[in-house]
Amino acid sequence: MDDRQFRTAMGRFATGVTVIATEVDGDIHGMTANAFMSVSLDPKLIVISIGEKAKILNKIKESKIFTVNILAADQHELSMIFAGQLKEHKEVTFGSLDGKPVLPGAVVQVACEVSAEHVEGDHTLFIGKVTDIQLEEKEPLIFYSGKYRSLVKEQPVTI
């Protein structure tokens, strides 16, 4: 298989959209990502996958902390900002959860300390020990086949 076919196949898995954030010397850095999953309930662990060319990679290695902000359906623009898809500069306001930078209005905010890192291929997997979590009752932003989507409630089936 070629790289394009592999990317297309992986894009057929519907995911939520997250912004990974960290802070170094008072400066907040963020990146849009969908490579995120839970690992363990006891202890509470998650994993994120960061490409070797991503600017945030060395920031997380240095800070040893990160947050995962699962974006709400109305936060499409934030996803584009942190993916570098907007031409004009937009100011983003961050909040704080357990002393770590988070995006207000996200469906879920997860604060983590790096407990391990593993280099696999052209990515680094960061295992995060969850130090705090915040939830909102909102619909998530979805990404599928290269496009942003939203959930549609199923209509009851009558037989």
Side-chain angles (χ1 to χ4, degrees):
M1 82 200 90
D2 65 14
D3 290 352
R4 170 62 26 219
Q5 183 183 28
F6 183 77
R7 260 183 99 90
T8 299
M10 295 303 103
R12 300 271 168 91
F13 181 63
T15 66
V17 180
T18 74
V19 170
I20 309 299
T22 193
E23 188 170 1
V24 177
D25 298 329
D27 292 327
I28 299 172
H29 307 272
M31 179 189 93
T32 299
N34 63 358
F36 152 75
M37 68 177 202
S38 65
V39 173
S40 170
L41 186 58
D42 185 19
K44 291 168 183 59
L45 300 173
I46 63 169
V47 65
I48 59 172
S49 178
I50 307 292
E52 65 185 8
K53 294 178 182 168
K55 294 175 189 169
I56 201 170
L57 178 64
N58 287 325
K59 306 296 184 190
I60 294 173
K61 287 182 177 192
E62 183 179 343
S63 70
K64 301 288 189 207
I65 61 149
F66 64 89
T67 62
V68 177
N69 300 271
I70 301 174
L71 299 185
D74 63 356
Q75 293 181 307
H76 173 255
E77 185 177 58
L78 282 175
S79 174
M80 294 180 72
I81 290 169
F82 289 102
Q85 295 173 334
L86 291 183
K87 300 268 188 238
E88 75 238 35
H89 174 74
K90 296 263 186 169
E91 198 63 39
V92 176
T93 303
F94 284 86
S96 182
L97 180 66
D98 191 36
K100 300 166 186 69
V102 291
L103 289 169
V107 174
V108 177
Q109 302 165 339
V110 185
C112 296
E113 296 171 348
V114 174
S115 69
E117 58 184 82
H118 306 277
V119 176
E120 293 295 336
D122 59 2
H123 279 64
T124 298
L125 306 176
F126 288 99
I127 307 295
K129 178 183 176 204
V130 178
T131 60
D132 206 352
I133 199 162
Q134 177 71 38
L135 297 104
E136 298 281 339
E137 288 299 322
K138 295 182 165 189
E139 291 294 316
L141 182 62
I142 304 295
F143 197 71
Y144 174 76
S145 201
K147 295 185 174 105
Y148 293 101
R149 314 282 177 130
S150 58
L151 293 178
V152 177
K153 292 188 189 231
E154 279 190 32
Q155 299 300 316
V157 177
T158 53
I159 299 176

